[in-house]
Structures are given as structure tokens and as C-alpha cells.
Amino acid sequence: MEKIRPECLYFLEEIASEFYLALATKINDKRIAKSLEIVGLESKNHAEIIETFFGRPENMDQCLKMFGREGSQMLLEMKKTVEEVSRREYLSREEIARLLEKFNSLELVAGEEIYSKIYFSLLEMEAKDLLKVLLKSISSQEDFHYKIVSEVLRELKK
């Protein structure tokens, strides 16, 4: 993975938000829809925090190296999936489960790896306390997102 560029996380959070919110509108189960909506809205909030503190890069291409080859491919694929899902009227429980299984690891990587690296680099730079608290909060919420999606998957497979 290339040098951490915190502003690039905007794209990760924005695409994740679009993904979960799109899925939430394509399923008839209100509990699952609400769970996915929560993850989507929190991811949107994370994107706004990143943009406020670090800015927003002009385009995603300049950020892809930071996510590594696999992370970049997964991010681009998630973006493409959002476009495909948006054109659909409805998705079956099985289709949603398949998509969630495919992309839930991105939440885990974001929480454990990317945000942790940023947080520790900010500690070294003696970043402002508010920013450190916000990034630590986002990191823990990413772990929570992973757990929510894992539970949604369990529900979908019943």
C-alpha cells in the first residue's frame, strides 16, 4: 500500500455510502433495509468528516494506489455495482447477500488497516485532539459496520 493520503478516504466512504443506501432501497425487508441504511448514512457522515478535515481530491484515479491493487479493484467494482443496482427495481435476498459477502471485507480493511494507520501517523504529527478523536471514532464505527453487515448476512441466509 502506498503512502496514506487521508483525503483519499473520501472516495472509500462515499462509494460505501452509495452502495449500502442503494441496497437498502432494493429489498422489501424493513429491518434489513434500515440496517443497511444506517451503515450507508454513517459512511456518508465519514466522507463529510474526511472532506472537512483533509479536503477532497479532484478525482479518484490519483488515490487508487493508496488502496493497493486489491483494494483499488474492490473499490472500482463497488462503484460499478452501485450503478448496476441503481438501475434495478428490486434485488432478491440472495443477490443482496452475495453482494454484501463480496464487499464486507472492505469495511474490515478500512477500519483495521487504513484508519488505524492514519490515526497512528497523526499521533506522531501531534494532530489536533478533535481530529484524533474523530478518526478513532470512524475506525471503531467501521468495525461496527462490518458487524452489522455480518448480522444482516446471517439474517438473509435464514
Side-chain angles (χ1 to χ4, degrees):
M1 191 176 296
E2 191 178 86
K3 178 183 176 235
I4 296 292
R5 295 183 53 202
E7 69 275 13
C8 289
L9 292 170
Y10 172 83
F11 295 112
L12 173 69
E13 296 294 351
E14 187 66 22
I15 292 169
S17 172
E18 292 170 359
F19 174 73
Y20 292 115
L21 291 173
L23 291 183
T25 64
K26 304 299 178 183
I27 190 162
N28 291 330
D29 185 314
K30 288 183 181 183
R31 296 173 311 120
I32 289 176
K34 183 52 78 177
S35 300
L36 294 173
E37 181 183 348
I38 288 167
V39 174
L41 291 173
E42 285 185 355
S43 294
K44 184 170 185 58
N45 185 44
H46 296 172
E48 291 169 1
I49 291 169
I50 296 300
E51 184 175 22
T52 299
F53 282 89
F54 299 108
R56 177 181 173 179
E58 287 184 34
N59 65 61
M60 191 168 68
D61 293 339
Q62 61 189 171
C63 292
L64 289 176
K65 284 184 182 177
M66 185 191 91
F67 297 110
R69 195 172 106 172
E70 282 185 43
S72 294
Q73 287 175 338
M74 189 174 283
L75 198 58
L76 291 171
E77 199 170 330
M78 184 182 264
K79 184 177 173 71
K80 182 180 173 186
T81 300
V82 169
E83 294 165 5
E84 292 168 2
V85 165
S86 296
R87 291 190 291 267
R88 303 268 307 268
E89 186 175 326
Y90 171 79
L91 292 174
S92 70
R93 294 172 69 88
E94 294 79 17
E95 289 173 303
I96 289 178
R98 184 181 54 78
L99 290 171
L100 290 175
E101 282 178 330
K102 184 175 189 176
F103 294 114
N104 197 26
S105 60
L106 198 55
E107 290 287 350
L108 190 61
V109 168
E112 289 185 353
E113 188 172 334
I114 297 172
Y115 280 108
S116 295
K117 283 182 180 178
I118 289 174
Y119 180 73
F120 288 115
S121 69
L122 289 172
L123 285 177
E124 291 173 8
M125 296 175 0
E126 297 182 19
K128 302 275 187 253
D129 289 338
L130 177 59
L131 180 55
K132 287 191 282 190
V133 169
L134 285 169
L135 288 174
K136 192 167 188 173
S137 171
I138 290 173
S139 180
S140 65
Q141 287 174 358
E142 293 299 332
D143 184 52
F144 187 59
H145 292 176
Y146 177 80
K147 290 175 183 172
I148 289 172
V149 173
S150 295
E151 285 303 310
V152 165
L153 274 166
R154 198 173 61 73
E155 287 289 320
L156 287 169
K157 291 181 175 185
K158 283 184 178 178

